[in-house]
Amino acid sequence: MKLSPLLLGYLSVLLLLSVPVSSSPCHFPAVVNLGDSNSDTGGLSAAFGPVRTPYGETFFRMPAGRYSDGRLIIDFIAESFGLPYLSAYLDSLGTNFRHGANFASAAATIMPQNTTLSQGGYSPFSLDVQLDEFLQFKSRSQTIYERGGVYRELMPRKEYFSRALYTFDIGQNDITAFSFLNISANDYIPNALNEFSSVIKSIYEEGGRSFWIHNTGPLGCLSYVLLRMPLTAEQLDSAGCAIPYNQLAQQFNRMLNETVIQLRKDLPLAAIALVDIYSVKYKLISEATKYGFEQPLRVCCGYGGGEYNFDFNVRCSDTAEVNGTNVLLGKSCKDPSKSIIWDGVHYTEAANRWVFDQIKGGAFSDPPVPLSMACRREKP
């Protein structure tokens, strides 16, 4: 059946009205982030002791609470909107929450772990705790804002919470949690993603409408995983990454995608972009020389040399007393800008910048919307 031009035009208007994102650049006055060390700007450091040199050496010229030599993807996101870098919610010194807050914690998981940080290596600030912190922040910040004066300058306005971009980068540590403890992924992942979905819905109920979610990266390309358990040659792919661990990451990402599809149905006023960080990072690692990087799996800040320059007992920034002098053992490489992996777990600033440049235009997001347009305009 041939449709009339008038009917075609009418259908086109309806289609445009159904698109959940704006057709013009968004104005995000604030960014609120929840996640793990991939986006932690000082949370775990504030709670359990500062990261030490050479962390932060490339950009900040000093440790800045980040597990990298410089900026993280979340820093580049803030920069792209002309906003200051996000202060960690747990950091009580020199913080400014006017344009958002960062609740991420290194070593955080979606599911709470039945172990302490010293016993299992996982943060007590799991995603449910980060949500509680956000809810408290949203409430208390407005009480403080009403005091006026300098307090008003350091706290977000009430309307910022509905207009903010909510970013998420978490899940990597959940995969190591269930795989290292030999727990079934088929049992763990659905429970974790149910928890993830619940957190998104809670923020939506608080007025959040714009969500930018990263899936998890190629875990099997990180030396702390590659050296954790014996791997045969058949278990390594052409890039040298561990196939079993990358398959677990891909399984998590497939189920995360299904979760986001359902969230879009359940939260009709939300704009939810799911970013394929896995594909971007694997592309960088597998084609490193093409993009100006060298030895993609070798750690920049590490100890011991060898194929990966990584030692579980001597990590980046670790020191030892030699002849009465404290000596830095976990040193950085000569040119971090040529390295992808910073300390065996995290990426260098150069790699983070490269990844951000790939994702900001929307080529790796679903829907394929640029970061600058990842919002929804509600009808007045």
Side-chain angles (χ1 to χ4, degrees):
M1 179 179 67
K2 187 175 181 180
L3 299 177
S4 69
L6 181 61
L7 182 56
L8 283 172
Y10 176 71
L11 291 174
S12 297
V13 170
L14 287 178
L15 179 61
L16 287 172
L17 289 175
S18 69
V19 175
V21 293
S22 170
S23 59
S24 61
C26 309
H27 173 60
F28 293 120
V31 175
V32 175
N33 181 71
L34 295 86
D36 56 28
S37 57
N38 289 305
S39 58
D40 181 359
T41 56
L44 192 73
S45 175
F48 293 103
V51 293
R52 299 172 297 184
T53 187
Y55 283 97
E57 66 174 16
T58 294
F59 180 78
F60 300 100
R61 307 299 179 188
M62 60 180 289
R66 294 155 174 80
Y67 290 86
S68 177
D69 61 312
R71 289 165 290 184
L72 311 177
I73 295 173
I74 189 63
D75 292 315
F76 293 116
I77 289 176
E79 279 186 8
S80 72
F81 298 126
L83 301 177
Y85 301 130
L86 293 184
S87 292
Y89 175 70
L90 294 175
D91 194 349
S92 59
L93 301 173
T95 50
N96 185 337
F97 297 119
R98 178 70 167 182
H99 298 284
N102 194 350
F103 300 91
S105 169
T109 51
I110 298 173
M111 296 291 288
Q113 302 301 307
N114 188 25
T115 181
T116 65
L117 180 65
S118 60
Q119 291 173 324
Y122 294 104
S123 170
F125 304 108
S126 49
L127 190 59
D128 60 324
V129 177
Q130 293 181 34
L131 173 64
D132 287 340
E133 291 173 338
F134 164 73
L135 296 175
Q136 184 183 69
F137 172 74
K138 184 173 182 288
S139 173
R140 291 191 63 195
S141 65
Q142 296 312 291
T143 301
I144 295 171
Y145 181 87
E146 292 302 321
R147 294 179 185 174
V150 66
Y151 298 107
R152 181 162 296 199
E153 299 303 315
L154 297 176
M155 295 295 122
R157 297 177 180 176
K158 182 178 181 179
E159 63 268 23
Y160 284 7
F161 289 97
S162 61
R163 295 166 55 197
L165 178 67
Y166 291 85
T167 57
F168 291 80
D169 193 330
I170 195 167
Q172 176 175 308
N173 296 319
D174 287 272
I175 298 173
T176 62
F178 70 70
S179 60
F180 292 167
L181 295 175
N182 199 29
I183 300 172
S184 169
N186 294 329
D187 293 332
Y188 188 104
I189 296 177
N191 290 332
L193 291 178
N194 283 338
E195 177 66 26
F196 183 86
S197 178
S198 176
V199 169
I200 296 287
K201 290 179 179 179
S202 294
I203 293 176
Y204 181 86
E205 290 172 0
E206 292 292 321
R209 290 295 181 266
S210 302
F211 299 89
W212 182 265
I213 301 169
H214 292 178
N215 69 12
T216 198
L219 185 65
C221 299
L222 301 174
S223 55
Y224 89 107
V225 169
L226 284 163
L227 294 174
R228 182 80 183 214
M229 297 178 181
L231 294 165
T232 65
E234 291 74 22
Q235 292 177 305
L236 299 177
D237 64 17
S238 58
C241 301
I243 296 172
Y245 291 106
N246 278 353
Q247 288 177 335
L248 288 175
Q250 291 167 339
Q251 180 180 353
F252 176 91
N253 290 340
R254 285 192 298 271
M255 298 179 76
L256 174 62
N257 182 62
E258 295 170 0
T259 300
V260 169
I261 290 173
Q262 185 59 48
L263 280 169
R264 291 193 183 113
K265 297 176 182 177
D266 296 339
L267 311 177
L269 296 179
I272 307 176
L274 178 60
V275 186
D276 189 5
I277 289 291
Y278 181 99
S279 294
V280 180
K281 288 184 174 179
Y282 190 79
K283 178 182 179 182
L284 175 59
I285 290 170
S286 60
E287 303 177 44
T289 55
K290 178 180 177 181
Y291 302 110
F293 293 89
E294 301 169 354
Q295 297 180 286
L297 301 183
R298 185 176 173 82
V299 171
C300 173
C301 185
Y303 177 82
E307 183 178 3
Y308 303 116
N309 189 37
F310 181 82
D311 189 319
F312 281 105
N313 298 313
V314 184
R315 302 289 191 95
C316 176
S317 81
D318 280 355
T319 61
E321 189 171 308
V322 179
N323 298 324
T325 303
N326 199 40
V327 177
L328 177 65
L329 298 180
K331 301 178 181 180
S332 64
C333 55
K334 292 182 179 180
D335 188 359
S337 70
K338 299 294 184 182
S339 294
I340 295 174
I341 309 302
W342 167 244
D343 58 3
V345 183
H346 312 100
Y347 287 67
T348 61
E349 175 180 285
N352 287 327
R353 178 191 287 276
W354 189 92
V355 171
F356 173 74
D357 286 342
Q358 302 303 302
I359 66 174
K360 65 182 180 182
F364 290 89
S365 64
D366 175 29
V369 57
L371 174 63
S372 61
M373 297 169 63
C375 61
R376 171 150 188 163
R377 308 293 192 198
E378 295 188 40
K379 295 181 181 180

